[in-house]
Amino acid sequence: MSLVQPVDNLAMLPAYLAAGTAVLVLLFDLLVARPAVTVAVAALGAAGTAAGAALVGAAGERRTFCVGADCSWVWGGRAALVGAVIALLTLGVLALSGPLLRAGRTPVGEYCFLLACAMTGGVVLGAAGDLITLIVALETLTLPLYVLVGLRRGSLAGAEAAVTFFVVSVVATTVTLLGAALLYAVAGTLHLDRLGATLADRADLTDLPLTGVAAALVVAGLAFKVAAVPFHAWAPATYDGAPLPVAAYLSTASKLGGVVALLAVVQRALPGDMTGPVLAALAVLTMTVGNLVALRQRRTVRLLAWSSVAQAGYILAPLGALALAAGRTGDARTAAYAAAVAYAIFFVLLELAAFAAVVALRPADGDGGTLADLRGAARRHPWVGGAFALALIGLAGLPPGLAGLFAKVTVVRALLAGHAGWLALVVALNAVIGLAYYLRVTASLYATPTGAAAVRPARTVALALGVATVAAVVIGFAPQLVLDVAAR
C-alpha cells in the first residue's frame, strides 16, 4: 500500500487562504511597517477567506486525507457556513479594533497576526473529520486569544483575564485529550464517523464504564469552550478584562468554534443515549444560571458575558432532545443539529452588533463601563442606540428582531419534534427571564441623559455596526436559508 496520499488542494483552499493571511500580515508588518497597510492586508485576507469558503462549499462536498472511507478533512455545506462566518467575524472585529489600535497601547502587527491565526483554526474546525484535527483546530482558534486578551500594554485587568483564560483552557484541553485517548483505547479509531459506527454496532463497547468516562471527559472539555455551566466561571472575568474587540471575538467566533466542535462529536461520534441526558442537564443549568446572574449585573460587558452564557444554554437545548428515544430518530436528530447551528449563527450576528454598539459608545481604548454610562445614549447617538436596541431585542427573541425570534422558535420546534416538551418549557421560561435585563438596558438607552459627554464613533466601528445590524435584519427575513445549510 502506498504511503503517499493525494491531496485535494481545492478542498483545502479556505485553510490555505486563512493561513496565508497570517503569513502575509507578518511579512507586511516586517517589510512595510505601516499599521494601516498591515490592517488592510488582514482585512483583505479575511474577506478572501470568507469568499473562498463559500465558493468551495457551493461546489459540493469534498474530502481529502482519507484512509479508505474515513477522511480527516470533509468540506461540505456546514463547513463552508462555519468557515465563512468565522472569517466575516474576524473582519468585523478588525473593523471594531480601529480605536484600540490607534490608541497605541496594542502592537498592530502582533494583533492582526494573532487574529488571522485564530481565524485559521476556526476555518479548519468546520471541516475536521477526526478528533485530533478537531482538537488541534480548536486550540489553534483559542491559543491566540490568550495573548490577545492580555496584549494591551499596562493593563493589569487584561493580564489577570489572560491568566484566568489560559489556566482554565489548558485544563479543558487536557480533559478533552484524555477523553479522546480513552475513546481510542475503546474503539481503536479517532475518525468521527468510524467511531460513531463502531459504538453503534457494538453494544458491548458502550456498556463499558471506560466508554462512559471517555464520553463524559470529551463533552466536559468542550463544554468549557462553550462556557456552559458549571464550566463557565472564566467567561465573565475574561470578557470584562479583555479589550472590547477581543471580548467581541471571544463571545462570537470562539463560542461558535466551541459549538461546532461539540456538535461534531455529539452528532458523529458519541451515542445519543449517552450524551443526551448530559446535554439536557447542561442546557437547563446554563440558560437558567446565565439569565439569573445577568439580572444582577451593573457592568455592560459582564451583562453581555452572562447573556452569552445563557445563550449557550439555548444552543445546547436542542441536543438535549437526544436524551429521549423519540429525539434520536433520523428526522428529530437532523432538526436538533440544524437548530443548534442556526441558533449559533443568529446569536453571533446579534452579539457582534451589540459589542459594536458598546465600542461605538465608549472612549477609544476604554472598557465597557457600567450600564449607567449608557443612559440616554440613544438620544445622543440615535442610529447607534437604535442598532444596539435592535440587537438586544433580537437576543431577547422579540420582534422586530426577527433573527432572534426565529432562532428561539427553531429551538422550541426542534424540542417539540423530539418530544422534549419539558425542555421547550424551560427554554420559554428562561426567555421570559431574559426579557427583564434586555428590556432594562434598552429602556436605559432612551432614558434622560445624565450629561455624559458624547463620543464620536470611529468610521470603521460605525461601518461594522451597520453591516452587522443589516445582516441580522436581512437574515431575519430569510432564516430558512441558514437552517437548510446547517442541516447538511
Side-chain angles (χ1 to χ4, degrees), residues 139 177 215 246 316 475:
E139 288 309 299
L177 285 171
V246 177
L316 295 177
I475 207 173

Side-chain angles (χ1 to χ4, degrees), residues 20-407:
T21 299
V23 174
L24 286 176
V25 165
L26 275 182
L27 291 176
F28 272 83
D29 184 53
L30 175 65
L31 300 176
V32 180
R34 293 182 61 185
V37 174
T38 302
V39 174
V41 170
L44 290 173
T49 301
L55 291 174
V56 175
E61 185 176 278
R62 307 184 73 93
R63 294 169 173 258
T64 191
F65 297 113
C66 299
V67 178
D70 303 321
C71 299
S72 294
W73 184 271
V74 183
W75 193 269
R78 186 181 296 176
L81 177 64
V82 172
V85 171
I86 291 286
L88 291 174
L89 289 172
T90 305
L91 183 61
V93 168
L94 278 170
L96 297 184
S97 303
L100 173 69
L101 298 178
R102 282 193 293 272
R105 295 172 59 196
T106 304
V108 176
E110 290 85 341
Y111 186 90
C112 294
F113 169 72
L114 291 168
L115 268 182
C117 290
M119 176 179 69
T120 304
V123 170
V124 173
L125 185 60
D130 63 68
L131 277 174
I132 296 301
T133 304
L134 186 80
I135 295 172
V136 170
L138 187 58
E139 288 309 299
T140 305
L141 170 61
T142 305
L143 276 170
L145 300 180
Y146 305 153
V147 185
L148 284 171
V149 169
L151 191 61
R152 187 169 44 179
R153 300 186 187 97
S155 174
L156 180 60
E160 292 175 348
V163 171
T164 300
F165 187 27
F166 172 75
V167 171
V168 172
S169 288
V170 166
V171 173
T173 303
T174 304
V175 169
T176 308
L177 285 171
L178 177 58
L182 295 180
L183 282 175
Y184 182 76
V186 170
T189 182
L190 288 173
H191 285 95
L192 298 173
D193 293 330
R194 176 66 61 185
L195 185 58
T198 300
L199 294 178
D201 293 340
R202 294 189 56 184
D204 58 314
L205 293 182
T206 56
D207 291 338
L208 291 174
L210 186 62
T211 307
V213 171
L217 289 174
V218 171
V219 171
L222 296 178
F224 273 102
K225 304 296 185 180
V226 183
V229 177
F231 312 107
H232 67 291
W234 61 273
T238 301
Y239 288 18
D240 201 23
L244 283 174
V246 177
Y249 203 74
L250 281 168
S251 187
T252 55
S254 179
K255 186 173 288 287
L256 178 61
V259 169
V260 170
L262 185 59
L263 187 65
V265 170
V266 171
Q267 181 179 7
R268 300 166 61 185
L270 299 178
D273 57 348
M274 187 176 292
T275 58
V278 176
L279 293 171
L282 285 177
V284 171
L285 281 173
T286 301
M287 69 179 85
T288 304
V289 172
N291 280 319
L292 291 177
V293 180
L295 291 172
R296 302 177 58 250
Q297 299 307 307
R298 294 294 179 267
R299 290 189 59 80
T300 306
V301 173
R302 281 189 176 267
L303 184 140
L304 290 175
W306 283 105
S307 161
S308 177
V309 170
Q311 298 289 340
Y314 299 133
I315 295 171
L316 295 177
L319 305 181
L322 301 176
L324 304 174
R328 295 195 291 272
T329 62
D331 291 341
R333 287 173 69 105
T334 300
Y337 300 140
V341 175
Y343 194 103
I345 298 298
F346 295 138
F347 161 70
V348 297
L349 279 176
L350 293 167
E351 189 79 351
L352 181 65
F355 268 101
V358 175
V359 174
L361 295 172
R362 297 293 298 159
D365 198 26
D367 60 13
T370 65
L371 296 179
D373 297 329
L374 298 177
R375 185 176 178 86
R379 297 193 179 192
R380 294 189 295 268
H381 302 286
W383 292 107
V384 175
F388 195 7
L390 183 63
L392 293 171
I393 290 171
L395 290 170
L398 292 177
L402 295 181
L405 175 62
F406 181 82

